[in-house]
Amino acid sequence: MMGPRQEAQAALFYEFSLEDHVPQDNLLRSIDWFVDLNGIRAHLADFYSHTGRPSVDPELLIRMLLVGYCFGIRSERRLCEEVHLNLAYRWFCRLDLGDRVPDHSTFSKNRHGRFRESELLRHLFETTVARCIEEGLVSGQRMAIDASLIEADANKQNSTPKEEWNVSTIDPADAPRAVREYLDTLDEAAFGAASPVQPKFTSHSDPASQWTAARKGPAFFAYSDNYLIDTDHGVIVDVEATRSIRQAEVGSTKTMLRRVKDRFDLHPERLIADTAYGTGPMLGWLVEQKIAPHIPVFDKAGRSDGTWSRADFEWDAENDQYICPEGHALKQFRRNYSDPNRGPTGKGTARYRALKEVCQACPSKARCCPNTDAPKITREEHEDARQVARDIAKTRQYDTSMKLRKKVEMLFAHLKRILGLGRLRLRGPCGANDEFLLAATAQNLRRLAKIFPAPQKPCKA
C-alpha cells in the first residue's frame, strides 16, 4: 500500500549531532587528523589590535580555505555556500548548525593584510611538511624539482607591447595592488631580475605575469609553480612562484634547497630534474653543495653532419688538454706566460686548438674539421660538473631517478585536474604565491590522509 505523503514538520526541539552525520570514511576526517592549527593564534597575535570589535577566528578562515583547495572549490563565494550547506564541511570548520558562515569578503581582507604580513600561509605549509617528516614520509635523500605553467588572471586584450611599455610612467600611489607588487619585485631573481629580456606583451592588470608560448600553442600570461619534492612518497617539501622563464625556474632551485636545509635540516644526496636544469652553472653549484645531479646535461655540442663532436675528444685534466681520436693534442696555451694576466684564468670559456700543420697531414681531417684548418673545442667553466652529470647518466641509479621524476609531474597533473588549479584567481606575485602554498598544503594533507587514514570509531548500536 502507498505510504502517507511526506511533509516537513516543524519541531520545537532537535537532537542533532554533526559528529554522527559525517561518515567515518570521509576524507575530511583523515585530513582533520593531521591539521595542526594550534600555533596560528600565537603566530598572528602581533598583527591584531588589542581594542575594537572581535574579528573572525583565523582558524575558521584557514579551515575553510583548506576545504576549498582540497576539493577544488575555486570561488570563495561558492566556498561559503558549500560550507553553509555541507555537513562534513561544517564539521571540519568547527561550525554548528546554527553558526553563521563568514562572508566571502573576509577572506580578501585578511589575505591582503595580516595573512601576508605574517607569512601565515608559508607557516601553515611548513607545519604540514614537518608533520610529513614526523610521520616518516620524508627521508631527504632523493629530491626532484620541476615547474609547471599556471595561467594568470590576465588576457592579451588588456596588455601593452614591449615597445610601448614604460615602467617610469607608473605612479605607485594610484596603481592597483598587483602593479605595486610588480614594481616591488623588479630586482628579485625570481621575477624582474631573472632576465634582462622584456616579454613581448605586458599585462596591465598583472604585469608580473609572463607572456609565454611554452606549451607550443597559443601564447598566454602565466606564472610558474615550482615544486621541490621528496621522491619517497611524493611529499612537496617546498614551493616557489616565479616568472615563466627558464632562468627564474632554475634559480628557484637554489632558493628552495637552501630553505629546506635551514628549516628542516634536509640536504639531499641527489637532485632529479629534466634537461632545463642541466646548465653548467646549475650543475656546478650542485656539485659544490655535494649533491649528485641526476640531470640530463644541457649540451648543444653534438653535430648532425657526421663529423666528430666534443664527446669524441678525450679530456686530459692533468695536462689541461684534449686528445683527438688520432692521438693529437689540442691545447689552450702552448707556452708559459711570464705575465699571469695573459695566461689561463680558470673562469669563463676556454678554447683548445690543434696545430695546423699536424691536422693538414692527418688522415681523419675530413671527419674532424673538413671546413677549417684545425679543430677548435670550447670548454666551459663548469665542464667538470657537466662531466660528473654525464658519468651519473651511465649508472643504473640514474635510470631509477628518471622514473622517480614522474612523481613531480603527477603532482602537477593532480593540481590541475583534481584540485582545479589550471588558472589563478588571484593576481600579482603575492597572489600566485598564496595560491601555490595553499594548493601544496592541500596536496600534502591529502597524501597524509591517503597513507594514514583516521581510525574509525565503532558504530553505535
Side-chain angles (χ1 to χ4, degrees):
M1 132 179 138
M2 183 181 296
R5 184 184 299 274
Q6 182 69 36
E7 295 182 358
Q9 298 289 333
L12 293 177
F13 303 100
Y14 287 95
E15 184 178 348
F16 187 89
S17 173
L18 282 175
E19 179 70 29
D20 298 337
H21 285 76
V22 178
Q24 292 294 318
D25 59 351
N26 190 285
L27 178 62
L28 280 176
R29 283 193 177 273
S30 297
I31 292 177
D32 184 66
W33 189 259
F34 295 103
V35 172
D36 182 11
L37 303 180
N38 293 328
I40 281 185
R41 299 184 70 88
H43 185 82
L44 291 172
D46 296 336
F47 298 88
Y48 279 89
S49 173
H50 298 288
T51 60
R53 187 176 61 180
S55 66
V56 177
D57 186 0
E59 180 177 340
L60 170 59
L61 297 178
I62 293 299
R63 285 184 175 272
M64 290 181 65
L65 287 173
L66 289 177
V67 168
Y69 279 84
C70 283
F71 294 94
I73 305 175
R74 302 288 297 127
S75 168
E76 288 170 356
R77 288 178 182 268
R78 183 179 162 226
L79 175 62
C80 293
E81 295 175 358
E82 292 290 336
V83 173
H84 176 71
L85 296 172
N86 192 300
L87 295 181
Y89 295 171
R90 277 187 171 270
W91 173 85
F92 180 79
C93 295
R94 308 295 192 260
L95 290 173
D96 205 350
L97 283 178
D99 293 335
R100 182 180 178 182
V101 177
D103 188 78
H104 66 88
S105 61
T106 308
F107 293 97
S108 299
K109 182 67 175 177
N110 284 273
R111 182 192 303 111
H112 297 313
R114 53 182 65 95
F115 283 8
R116 285 183 183 171
E117 293 171 1
S118 65
E119 296 186 349
L120 176 63
L121 300 183
R122 168 66 63 177
H123 171 76
L124 176 66
F125 169 75
E126 292 178 350
T127 301
T128 307
V129 175
R131 183 62 184 270
C132 293
I133 296 174
E134 180 183 342
E135 296 293 338
L137 300 185
V138 177
S139 67
Q141 296 300 311
R142 299 178 298 190
M143 292 187 183
I145 182 77
D146 204 356
S148 182
L149 297 179
I150 306 296
E151 188 175 353
D153 186 22
N155 57 69
K156 185 179 178 181
Q157 285 70 30
N158 189 26
S159 64
T160 297
K162 63 179 179 181
E163 297 82 7
E164 303 175 11
W165 179 257
N166 189 358
V167 179
S168 61
T169 60
I170 301 176
D171 184 5
D174 299 332
R177 181 183 292 107
V179 178
R180 295 198 302 269
E181 292 177 7
Y182 160 75
L183 297 175
D184 292 338
T185 57
L186 287 176
D187 295 329
E188 292 187 9
F191 290 97
S195 172
V197 180
Q198 293 184 354
K200 188 175 181 180
F201 293 97
T202 301
S203 170
H204 295 165
S205 58
D206 193 355
S209 60
Q210 179 75 27
W211 178 256
T212 177
R215 291 179 181 171
K216 307 302 180 182
F220 58 97
F221 289 104
Y223 285 93
S224 283
D225 188 6
N226 299 270
Y227 275 2
L228 178 66
I229 73 165
D230 185 274
T231 59
D232 289 355
H233 294 87
V235 173
I236 305 168
V237 295
D238 206 354
V239 57
E240 185 80 5
T242 64
R243 286 176 64 187
S244 298
I245 57 175
R246 182 174 59 85
Q247 297 92 324
E249 295 169 356
V250 173
S252 69
T253 306
K254 300 179 182 180
T255 301
M256 291 189 284
L257 286 173
R258 291 190 184 105
R259 191 154 51 203
V260 297
K261 173 66 175 178
D262 295 338
R263 305 290 173 85
F264 309 111
D265 196 25
L266 296 178
H267 187 76
E269 173 190 325
R270 69 181 71 166
L271 182 70
I272 307 168
D274 58 24
T275 312
Y277 298 82
T279 60
M282 186 71 234
L283 295 174
W285 185 84
L286 290 173
V287 172
E288 289 178 1
Q289 300 298 317
K290 304 293 189 297
I291 301 175
H294 286 235
I295 304 172
V297 178
F298 188 83
D299 193 355
K300 295 183 179 181
R303 296 182 179 181
S304 58
D305 57 359
T307 58
W308 290 338
S309 66
R310 182 169 53 190
D312 297 311
F313 292 76
E314 181 182 355
W315 170 244
D316 181 4
E318 183 178 354
N319 297 311
D320 187 26
Q321 64 183 9
Y322 278 97
I323 305 297
C324 77
E326 292 290 344
H328 305 305
L330 284 77
K331 296 185 177 182
Q332 182 182 9
F333 302 98
R334 294 187 178 275
R335 62 189 178 91
N336 295 325
Y337 288 96
S338 58
D339 183 0
N341 293 327
R342 296 184 60 193
T345 61
K347 298 181 180 180
T349 301
R351 293 186 178 182
Y352 294 80
R353 301 173 178 85
L355 291 174
K356 177 181 177 180
E357 54 270 21
V358 173
C359 291
Q360 293 296 329
C362 180
S364 300
K365 184 179 185 303
R367 295 187 59 195
C368 179
C369 52
N371 301 322
T372 58
D373 294 333
K376 299 178 183 179
I377 296 181
T378 59
R379 183 176 179 84
E380 297 183 3
E381 177 185 357
H382 301 284
E383 191 62 30
D384 291 338
R386 289 157 64 94
Q387 188 58 45
V388 170
R390 292 190 187 99
D391 294 338
I392 291 175
K394 302 175 184 177
T395 63
R396 294 181 61 183
Q397 291 83 356
Y398 179 84
D399 296 334
T400 302
S401 296
M402 292 300 101
K403 296 177 182 179
L404 293 174
R405 191 176 66 83
K406 296 180 180 179
K407 289 189 175 185
V408 66
E409 297 175 352
M410 292 170 62
L411 282 168
F412 285 129
H414 179 269
L415 174 72
K416 296 177 181 180
R417 299 189 62 182
I418 307 301
L419 302 189
L421 191 59
R423 179 185 174 95
L424 292 173
R425 194 176 53 80
L426 305 179
R427 292 173 177 172
C430 292
N433 191 57
D434 290 349
E435 292 217 57
F436 295 161
L437 282 170
L438 279 168
T441 302
Q443 287 182 289
N444 282 345
L445 287 173
R446 288 176 65 108
R447 181 58 54 94
L448 281 166
K450 180 180 179 180
I451 298 177
F452 304 109
Q456 298 189 10
K457 300 179 181 178
C459 298
K460 293 183 178 180

